[in-house]
Amino acid sequence: MRQGTKTGAGRFASGVFAQGCALICAGVAVAAADSTNRLALLEQKLNNHVRCASSGREDGADVMAFNIARSFSSAECAAVTLDGYPANFIVEAGVAAAYMHRKDWTNAIAHGELALAFRSGEGMGGAPERASRLLLDLARAYSSAAVRRYDKADDYREWARELDPHNAQIAQTLALDDVARARRNGREDEAEHILRAAIAAHGFAKRIVYQELGNQLWDTRRGRDAFAMWLAQLKDVRLDFHEDSKELGIDNLRKTMTLADEALLLQCAAVLRALPARYPATLKFAPFIGELQSIANDPRIEDELLMRTAAHEYTPAMEQALRAFMATHKPVPGRVFLYLGDNLCARGRPDEAIDMWLEGMAAPGHRAGDDGADWFAARIIDQFAKASSAQVSRCVFYLERQCAGQAPARMRLGLGEQLERLGQPDRALRLWCDALAAQPRPYLQTQNGDWFMMKLDARLATMTPQQKAHYADIIGAQIEKWRTNSLYHTVVPLLDAKRTSLLR
Amino acid sequence: MRWHSKVIILVVINWMACAPAVMTNTALFARVAPITQALRAEVWTTVVARSSAALDKNAAQLHMPLLDAVPLGYYLNLWQGQALRHAGNAVIDAPSALRAAEAWLYQGDRNMACSGAWAELYYEMGQTYRGIGRLYDAERYLQASAAMAATLTQTWLRARLGLVSVDMRRSRYRPAFVAMTNVWAKPALRTKEVHYLYAMTLLSQRRDMDAYDALVAGLTRFGVAPRLAERDPLYRAFLDLLGRASDAHIKAFYAVLGVQLETMALRAGAEHTAALFINQRTILAQCYPYLQHEDDLRPLAERATGAGSGGDDMTFGGGDELLDDVAIEEL
């Protein structure tokens, strides 16, 4: 037999051997593949449970997730890899996530660190996002109130950033962490800058980034900007077909609607109106589309828009619209009277305008603003020269009866002057005396003293002795009010001298 | 034998010697035809059932080459894995089936096994792993698939698009955008999926107008797949970020839905899609006052009635579903 040739039996034997080897190899390969698949399945279940537990959808899901992870931690799969990571890394990272959910930071850190140790033993291969996610979790655990190891947390954040530099989602999560740190250090400006940069960066900005920035603007009393940001969020961010208006942040818009200007309100109305069209028109989404349509048709937006337009548009059509609004809305908001009065005044009907403002003043809910400004009063005073005696009387009536003690000083000063002009100086003096008496203390706005006292002092020559005595009594009462004030020793001698001179 | 007969015999022998690279086994093809039909129709449960049955019943023929010396067993396992990915346990069963397909390639004649089979298998593996979140594994297999497939072929393109999808899932938008820009540069490759992915990468780069141009172009060219209806990627992408679209794009979208409604085949099973188009157009017209609301239901009903008297397959199934869905108009 020549070398290199085989008999039939030899060929058969070598064939059997080769097939046997192939079967054994295939068996080993299949077993390893099955373990990997089982690991993948368990990981998927684990993630689902942790997700359910995080969103509060399933009671005890975190315990279940924990048990699943624990049950899988066996030696049989020590050599199995998934996504480039050993099974132990996957399991320990899962356990850490479960502990994170329970806010058991110490155990979360322990298992997270263990997972990292498995990972470093396997080299740097694998999906970077898995390691980055674990590092971010660990950073959160380290920066928790219970642990407070901020230096370690910062190290892990940097590590996560280096591991996956192109990942926009991780960049946004890191940005939110940076914002929290900046706020912790009292650097609100830096936090705002980081959030704005995260929104402007490439990728799909998360809804929470917009909401964080909106909240910050709201907290810093920039209501209009906050409204604009919440609106931008609704417009720019992917819907992902969420079916909850709270998740979409519509409530924030409704809450701050009164702070927006006309342009923003118009934009808001357009965005809300278009919202139902952003969902597939199927039966599944029908209820939510209906809800969105009712939100878009919310009359408050239209009303706000009407008010914004009425503030600057003085046309007959607007007058009609405002009157129609008054007919359908009870009680009528004060600003409707204000804008309608402005409208009439601007179109050469001051008489009707004053009536309208007076009506606004008389409205049940009307109060002067916190800062003492009363827009009705200001407007009526501006037009006092054109007011009839009946209107002045009405104004006095409201001030004396309804708005006693609340009417702003400027209103009372102007009204007194108007009463003098109409030949009722005694009434004017009584008004100013009452105003002076109603004040907590005489204001010292000018070098000469209080505005009302100036008015009264200027008319001392025409005052009757009874009026002077009344004026002196008021000053006496004011001196008592000053007793508890630190300026007592400066002011009281002046007031006392004035009272003495009046009684002389 | 005459000389010309000899010439003919020589020509035939020569032709047989230079047979085309694609050799098929006609008898086996006839046997797997029902599976391939179900595969084309994407009736995944049927594919799973038939491929499993074929694997059980034809054990003796599994090693026989079906196409290009690739054994029948490979194809059955590949199709089974593909179907399980869509309608089965994608975590355990689909990878197992694909592993079995891989084993067939190893057992077969490696010299004869064409690279297309490997590229196809790796593509399926990549997509399966992408679906279950094993993105690193998915990337590796899709890269292997793209490397093994002939450049600019459909398999190559699908693998490239799969890689872009993986990048998008990993929020790595910039590399995805660069890759899609390269694909978009070749007009012959602009499939529906290319339009979708290119638009999404453009949106991620805040190039909203270009993105909506791509979406409108895709919808105009390919339309909304009636089979997918509201799950059509272009349709969903357009709606999801509608807030960033211009008025012109919204008008175009509205018109595309109208045209598709006018031209769609009115056969049983199409009610849902028709109702979707009608309702979507109605809601769009309600939300955007500049769109001219048209009565879509009447012409469609007329068409259905007219066609119904003409032939069986041109009528709607029952009509109840259409009416139910159209009830959304009342919202």
Side-chain angles (χ1 to χ4, degrees):
Chain A
M1 196 169 67
R2 284 181 301 172
Q3 196 177 4
T5 61
K6 283 183 180 174
T7 61
R11 274 203 296 272
F12 176 76
S14 62
V16 167
F17 177 73
Q19 286 206 354
C21 287
L23 274 174
I24 289 166
C25 291
V28 170
V30 165
D34 281 350
S35 297
T36 308
N37 293 342
R38 185 168 153 256
L39 178 64
L41 181 67
L42 288 170
E43 194 217 6
Q44 197 182 48
K45 281 187 177 175
L46 181 69
N47 287 342
N48 283 342
H49 285 306
V50 170
R51 208 176 298 130
C52 287
S54 304
S55 58
R57 276 181 308 196
E58 198 178 320
D59 242 5
D62 55 339
V63 179
M64 210 179 295
F66 184 82
N67 290 338
I68 285 176
R70 287 279 64 144
S71 74
F72 193 75
S73 180
S74 54
E76 61 168 333
C77 289
V80 172
T81 59
L82 180 80
D83 247 5
Y85 290 94
N88 288 325
F89 172 89
I90 304 286
V91 169
E92 293 302 337
V95 175
Y99 276 121
M100 286 286 291
H101 169 67
R102 286 186 188 184
K103 293 190 169 43
D104 183 346
W105 309 115
T106 316
N107 273 318
I109 288 171
H111 285 275
E113 292 285 4
L114 193 57
L116 279 182
F118 283 122
R119 179 189 169 278
S120 55
E122 286 294 314
M124 295 297 283
E129 64 271 10
R130 284 180 184 267
S132 305
R133 216 176 298 138
L134 175 65
L135 288 169
L136 289 180
D137 276 354
L138 277 171
R140 193 152 68 90
Y142 274 119
S143 58
S144 64
V147 183
R148 287 173 183 271
R149 289 194 57 190
Y150 298 122
D151 53 337
K152 192 89 172 164
D154 290 345
D155 286 349
Y156 278 149
R157 282 197 195 99
E158 280 308 312
W159 191 3
R161 206 190 301 269
E162 284 168 17
L163 263 181
D164 206 358
H166 295 296
N167 193 320
Q169 293 291 319
I170 285 176
Q172 285 180 35
T173 309
L174 284 166
L176 288 173
D177 285 347
D178 291 343
V179 165
R181 188 172 47 183
R183 283 181 185 158
R184 207 164 46 230
N185 297 332
R187 297 198 304 269
E188 297 287 330
D189 291 350
E190 188 186 333
E192 185 182 334
H193 178 74
I194 293 168
L195 287 169
R196 286 194 187 279
I199 287 172
H202 286 154
F204 297 99
K206 284 181 182 174
R207 194 175 298 283
I208 190 170
V209 180
Y210 283 87
Q211 282 173 347
E212 280 289 320
L213 184 52
N215 292 342
Q216 172 154 351
L217 292 168
W218 175 254
D219 291 343
T220 50
R221 292 180 174 274
R222 283 182 281 172
R224 187 201 166 279
D225 293 343
F227 182 87
M229 194 46 61
W230 286 325
L231 185 62
Q233 174 262 124
L234 198 57
K235 194 179 162 200
D236 291 349
V237 178
R238 296 173 71 170
L239 283 183
D240 289 330
F241 304 110
H242 284 304
E243 292 181 69
D244 186 352
S245 60
K246 280 183 185 164
E247 275 184 60
L248 299 180
I250 296 175
D251 288 349
N252 284 334
L253 285 178
R254 290 199 281 199
K255 189 175 71 183
T256 50
M257 203 174 281
T258 50
L259 299 171
D261 56 27
E262 190 182 352
L264 270 178
L265 267 180
L266 277 170
Q267 212 179 330
C268 173
V271 170
L272 289 181
R273 200 172 50 231
L275 214 47
R278 292 172 67 180
Y279 283 82
T282 58
L283 282 177
K284 182 193 168 196
F285 291 108
F288 190 58
I289 289 174
E291 188 189 329
L292 288 176
Q293 281 176 330
S294 65
I295 289 172
N297 296 330
D298 188 344
R300 281 180 295 179
I301 300 174
E302 290 299 320
D303 295 349
E304 279 296 327
L305 270 172
L306 178 69
M307 293 301 120
R308 295 295 189 286
T309 319
H312 61 79
E313 190 180 303
Y314 306 130
T315 58
M318 184 51 69
E319 183 197 337
Q320 291 302 316
L322 287 173
R323 287 191 190 280
F325 184 90
M326 287 168 79
T328 51
H329 290 69
K330 301 290 178 195
V332 181
R335 54 187 174 157
V336 181
F337 294 107
L338 195 71
Y339 296 146
L340 187 52
D342 287 351
N343 188 307
L344 294 166
C345 188
R347 289 166 49 223
R349 290 151 68 185
D351 191 44
E352 288 175 61
I354 291 170
D355 274 344
M356 200 52 67
W357 291 325
L358 283 170
E359 211 172 318
M361 276 180 81
H366 172 67
R367 290 170 66 110
D370 293 339
D371 54 356
D374 186 314
W375 297 106
F376 291 114
R379 280 162 169 76
I380 291 171
I381 288 166
D382 283 346
Q383 300 295 323
F384 248 158
K386 295 169 188 168
S388 67
S389 60
Q391 285 171 331
V392 171
S393 294
R394 267 179 79 194
C395 195
V396 171
F397 174 78
Y398 292 138
L399 281 174
E400 287 181 346
R401 298 294 174 85
Q402 293 189 351
C403 308
Q406 292 175 18
R410 187 164 165 259
M411 178 74 188
R412 288 164 184 261
L413 287 168
L415 188 63
E417 286 169 4
Q418 190 63 18
L419 285 168
E420 278 186 328
R421 193 174 68 80
L422 294 168
Q424 299 181 25
D426 293 346
R427 218 171 157 187
L429 286 176
R430 199 176 71 216
L431 181 75
W432 288 328
C433 280
D434 290 350
L436 184 62
Q439 291 198 78
R441 284 179 220 101
Y443 294 146
L444 298 170
Q445 292 101 333
T446 66
Q447 219 171 5
N448 299 324
D450 183 80
W451 286 110
F452 294 112
M453 289 171 76
M454 283 170 67
K455 290 280 181 198
L456 290 166
D457 290 347
R459 285 151 185 84
L460 281 176
T462 57
M463 276 190 190
T464 61
Q466 289 81 6
Q467 284 171 334
K468 282 184 181 173
H470 182 56
Y471 182 22
D473 288 347
I474 292 169
I475 290 176
Q478 292 294 346
I479 287 171
E480 289 306 310
K481 288 182 187 175
W482 275 99
R483 279 200 191 283
T484 54
N485 193 279
S486 59
L487 290 174
Y488 175 78
H489 296 294
T490 317
V491 176
V492 167
L494 292 171
L495 292 175
D496 203 30
K498 190 177 284 291
R499 189 171 67 123
T500 311
S501 71
L502 284 169
L503 293 173
R504 196 177 295 147
Chain B
M1 188 178 285
R2 297 171 70 88
W3 67 271
H4 55 269
S5 301
K6 289 177 184 172
V7 169
I8 289 171
I9 289 167
L10 279 171
V11 166
V12 169
I13 289 169
N14 190 39
W15 176 77
M16 287 177 73
C18 306
V22 179
M23 292 288 287
T24 60
N25 188 327
T26 317
L28 284 181
F29 252 123
R31 197 162 294 173
V32 297
I35 304 176
T36 52
Q37 279 171 8
L39 201 66
R40 271 197 296 275
E42 298 184 4
V43 190
W44 303 117
T45 47
T46 309
V47 176
V48 173
R50 286 185 178 165
S51 55
S52 301
L55 280 165
D56 290 342
K57 289 178 185 171
N58 301 300
Q61 292 164 328
L62 291 180
H63 67 280
M64 291 175 69
L66 179 71
L67 182 73
D68 261 351
V70 180
L72 172 67
Y74 161 83
Y75 285 106
L76 290 176
N77 278 310
L78 180 77
W79 295 333
Q80 190 186 34
Q82 191 180 353
L84 283 167
R85 170 158 72 85
H86 290 98
N89 186 341
V91 184
I92 295 264
D93 295 343
S96 297
L98 294 172
R99 289 272 173 209
E102 189 181 21
W104 280 110
L105 283 186
Y106 277 121
Q107 283 180 26
D109 187 346
R110 292 191 193 185
N111 295 325
M112 285 300 289
C114 65
S115 62
W118 285 103
E120 192 69 25
L121 175 71
Y122 286 155
Y123 170 76
E124 283 301 327
M125 283 179 155
Q127 287 293 62
T128 304
Y129 291 143
R130 184 175 73 88
I132 59 174
R134 290 170 61 177
L135 299 180
Y136 178 73
D137 292 337
E139 190 179 30
R140 280 192 307 153
Y141 280 109
L142 288 169
Q143 275 171 349
S145 175
M148 287 183 145
T151 311
L152 300 183
T153 57
Q154 277 301 311
T155 312
W156 175 85
L157 178 63
R158 284 194 302 165
R160 299 291 303 171
L161 298 183
L163 282 168
V164 171
S165 300
V166 169
D167 274 342
M168 294 289 279
R169 277 278 297 274
R170 291 173 133 179
S171 305
R172 294 160 73 173
Y173 299 116
R174 191 69 201 171
F177 170 67
V178 172
M180 279 317 296
T181 308
N182 290 335
V183 173
W184 188 257
K186 300 174 183 69
L189 297 180
R190 289 181 191 174
T191 60
K192 188 170 184 176
E193 198 180 356
V194 169
H195 279 83
Y196 166 71
L197 281 174
Y198 184 54
M200 294 311 289
T201 54
L202 284 168
L203 283 169
S204 74
Q205 303 300 304
R206 307 286 169 127
R207 287 174 56 182
D208 294 353
M209 293 305 107
D210 292 339
Y212 274 93
D213 281 346
L215 284 175
V216 167
L219 282 165
T220 310
R221 188 168 163 195
F222 302 102
V224 178
R227 183 174 46 81
L228 295 173
E230 72 272 13
R231 289 178 291 115
D232 186 280
L234 290 177
Y235 176 80
R236 279 185 89 93
F238 203 100
L239 291 185
D240 197 11
L241 279 161
L242 196 65
R244 288 156 69 169
S246 69
D247 292 350
H249 289 126
I250 291 165
K251 280 180 190 168
F253 180 58
Y254 185 74
V256 164
L257 291 184
V259 169
Q260 193 154 2
L261 196 60
E262 282 172 19
T263 54
M264 69 184 293
L266 303 182
R267 54 172 63 95
E271 300 93 336
H272 174 74
T273 313
L276 175 73
F277 291 163
I278 293 171
N279 293 328
Q280 197 71 56
R281 274 168 59 86
T282 306
I283 292 177
L284 278 168
Q286 284 171 358
C287 296
Y288 296 97
Y290 52 78
L291 296 175
Q292 292 290 321
H293 183 227
E294 296 156 0
D295 184 2
D296 295 323
L297 191 55
R298 189 188 301 276
L300 194 74
E302 283 169 6
R303 269 181 69 203
T305 314
S309 60
D312 286 337
D313 65 338
M314 294 293 281
T315 56
F316 276 108
D320 290 343
E321 189 187 348
L322 176 67
L323 292 175
D324 284 348
D325 277 3
V326 172
I328 299 172
E329 283 183 18
E330 304 303 322
L331 292 170

